[in-house]
Amino acid sequence: MLSAHAPSDRGGSGSDDIAADQDRFRAALTDTIEQFLQEQRDVLGAISDESLPLLSSIATLTSGGKRMRALLCYWGWRAAGGSPVAAAPVIAGTALEFFQAAALIHDDVIDRSDTRRGRPSVHRQFSGRHLAAGWHLDAERFGVSAAILAGDLCLAFSEELFTASYADAPGTTARTIFNRMRTEVMAGQYLDLLEEAVGPDQTPVVAEGRALNILRFKSAKYSMERPLMLGGALAGADRDLLEAYSAFALPLGEAFQLRDDVLGVFGDPDVTGKPAGDDLREGKRTFLIARALGSGGSPDRMNALLGDPDLDADAVAELRASIIASGALAQTESLIEQKSAEAFDALMLLPADETSREALHRLAEAAVTRSA
């Protein structure tokens, strides 16, 4: 039976203690993830040891990362008056980590991505296992199918954990937020897939609007807004405080995803863990791309290259040069600054203690200035 590893020491009251508080929370989160996975190994092992690779692939994704969503949940809890050493935000944060793992696994399948964080993506891990063993039938189909199941298993784990997070407290508002978050992500993911298919037929103005709607629901809300609101709701935050959380975290999430879109085209592979120009090969119809297509240049040439999985380094360089020449990169950076300023202005008005505001400020700065 899962029992959360709550942080062992009292949290500090000043900004100098933020790092220590976060380290304690991360340690508790890691312990809880490992304990939960061990319990699931026992469950799957009782079914068949042959099912254990599903857990191995999940463990790899949940063993690292920045824990940003979980930390936002924690500070949402703290800013609403929650105890620094409570178990609820740890369990809820663990649920968010498994939901994130599910989203990454399924996203890599949809995007046909070969790598994730510098390692083979989950579907590539399973297709490689198939090839190495010399099994029958199609290795790629096996890999994709196994990855879908691994992602579904993560979703089941996330649900189980989130339900446990409010076992000893009212969770109606938190449950509503969690349910809405999942629906938003699935709809946003579908809209992203749809945009790749119909994108070349849209006018630039329409394409930009659709791209911003996709980034809001596919990523911005579940990356920033919903985790913060979940923590607050679990601690009993009222509607006004939750709305203040949203005013800060939604534009922050949009800036975060816009930064991700820039890194998907211009990021350093050694830092991002993804091949250079991967988003171009996948044909991502982001705001950056929509703005480039609508800012002159050679849209027919760009559309012809976008989505070609065999783009070589020269073609990637050509697309990058076109995006820069169009002014789209500078305009996207300007929008990131605008959204960031909106978030920081809202943070100044957030009715929370100084430590929580400072912690959220640091997380926000890291989100919009990151290089990976």
Side-chain angles (χ1 to χ4, degrees), residues 46-61:
I47 298 170
S48 171
D49 286 346
E50 291 184 312
S51 65
L52 292 177
L54 288 169
L55 277 185
S56 299
S57 67
I58 294 169
T60 300
L61 280 178

Side-chain angles (χ1 to χ4, degrees), residues 1-2 4 36 87-88 91-92 95 157-169 175 234:
M1 180 68 179
L2 176 72
F36 183 81
I91 302 176
F157 292 164
S158 178
E159 169 62 24
E160 180 178 341
L161 285 157
F162 184 72
T163 300
S165 72
Y166 60 86
D168 300 322
R175 164 55 65 183
L234 287 170

